Amino acid sequence: MLNERMEEALNEQINKEMYSSYLYLAMSAYSSSIGLPGFAHWFRVQVEEENIHAMKLFDYINNQGGRVKLKEIKEPPMEFGTPRSMFQQTLKHEQFVTRLIHELVDLARAEKDDNTVSFLQWYVDEQVEEEENDNEIIAKLIDVDDNKDALSELDAKLAKRLPPK
Ligand code: FEO
């Protein structure tokens, strides 16, 4: 059973995950618009990841006898600059989400809600992975610098990202 504060906070996180999905969909569209189909694909897969994050929260609230409340999703930007800048924005966003997840864990602990503490551990681990992925790609983009062939090569690599399991 979720208490009111926890339910509200988890509902807020659904909204943040849906915004993440929307943000990466915008980045996918932007990548297509600057001729980087592999980047566009990578972000499309990320959209699926974010939808899973949101739906896990949705199911958890329902299964705990809570009430899901869907809120308005903020409009994401349309322009993201260079591929490197775009991934730096991605990393910054993921660091923000990591802070939100840690705040949720703190709240669940304060409310003595062990089920939710345990449920949230999956997100704590997931955020480590999300930030690692972004850092890896940023490192590659630093190597690419202004080299067009190297950027095409990286684009071809990102095109191979598999859908979430
Ligand atoms: Fe759902 Fe990318 O954090």
Side-chain angles (χ1 to χ4, degrees), residues 13-29 40 42-55 73-77 80 93-94 97 130:
Q13 190 62 28
I14 292 183
N15 185 264
K16 293 295 189 295
E17 301 292 350
M18 292 306 290
Y19 175 73
S20 303
S21 172
Y22 230 34
L23 176 66
Y24 297 140
L25 197 55
M27 286 182 177
S28 177
W42 192 95
F43 280 110
R44 274 291 284 268
V45 174
Q46 193 58 33
V47 167
E48 291 179 49
E49 289 269 355
E50 299 302 343
N51 291 343
I52 290 170
H53 299 173
M55 291 314 295
I73 304 167
K74 196 172 75 170
E75 181 179 319
F80 299 97
H93 180 70
E94 288 303 327
V97 174
E130 298 262 281

Side-chain angles (χ1 to χ4, degrees), residues 8-147:
E8 171 58 27
L10 293 172
N11 271 314
E12 191 56 44
Q13 190 62 28
I14 292 183
N15 185 264
K16 293 295 189 295
E17 301 292 350
M18 292 306 290
Y19 175 73
S20 303
S21 172
Y22 230 34
L23 176 66
Y24 297 140
L25 197 55
M27 286 182 177
S28 177
Y30 177 73
S31 300
S32 293
S33 80
I34 59 170
L36 292 171
F39 280 70
H41 169 79
W42 192 95
F43 280 110
R44 274 291 284 268
V45 174
Q46 193 58 33
V47 167
E48 291 179 49
E49 289 269 355
E50 299 302 343
N51 291 343
I52 290 170
H53 299 173
M55 291 314 295
K56 272 178 108 74
L57 285 154
F58 179 97
D59 289 340
Y60 180 74
I61 294 171
N62 275 334
N63 292 340
Q64 290 288 311
R67 185 74 170 91
V68 168
K69 184 177 178 201
L70 299 177
K71 303 171 185 205
E72 191 173 358
I73 304 167
K74 196 172 75 170
E75 181 179 319
M78 271 186 83
E79 308 292 330
F80 299 97
T82 62
R84 187 167 150 188
S85 160
M86 178 163 59
F87 265 95
Q88 275 159 343
Q89 291 167 69
T90 303
L91 176 62
K92 207 170 149 209
H93 180 70
E94 288 303 327
Q95 288 167 336
F96 165 66
V97 174
T98 299
R99 282 198 297 279
L100 294 176
I101 296 294
H102 290 178
E103 281 170 18
L104 280 175
V105 173
D106 288 345
L107 177 65
R109 286 206 181 110
E111 300 291 334
K112 301 196 184 328
D113 182 345
D114 292 344
N115 289 347
T116 303
V117 172
S118 165
F119 166 73
L120 289 170
Q121 188 56 45
W122 183 87
Y123 287 84
V124 171
D125 298 340
E126 184 74 1
Q127 282 311 117
V128 173
E129 205 180 290
E130 298 262 281
E131 289 190 29
E132 266 172 16
N133 288 343
D134 295 339
N135 274 318
E136 232 172 75
I137 295 170
I138 289 169
K140 284 181 183 145
L141 283 164
I142 289 169
D143 287 342
V144 162
D145 200 16
D146 278 341
N147 185 318

